[in-house]
Amino acid sequence: MYSIEMAYARMRELQDLANRSRAHQPAAALRVDRARAMRTGRKKR
């Protein structure tokens, strides 16, 4: 059985992995942040 706790733990694991990989690619991370800011339609402070 796959519980919500297991799903949440897996999601956190993937998020941490994504954050670690982004740390090694500052240019790519900047593009992603810019794209995300444009999608939400709000300016970053």
Side-chain angles (χ1 to χ4, degrees):
M1 189 174 141
Y2 197 68
S3 71
I4 192 71
E5 288 85 5
M6 289 167 70
Y8 185 73
R10 179 67 178 146
M11 185 191 71
R12 292 295 306 158
E13 205 175 285
L14 291 171
Q15 189 69 51
D16 290 343
L17 188 64
N19 288 339
R20 272 200 301 274
S21 68
R22 273 184 65 184
H24 298 295
Q25 303 166 356
L30 195 62
R31 280 197 301 276
V32 168
D33 290 341
R34 219 177 273 137
R36 186 175 296 135
M38 282 191 279
R39 256 200 322 272
T40 59
R42 285 182 291 180
K43 288 186 179 177
K44 273 187 170 182
R45 290 184 195 186

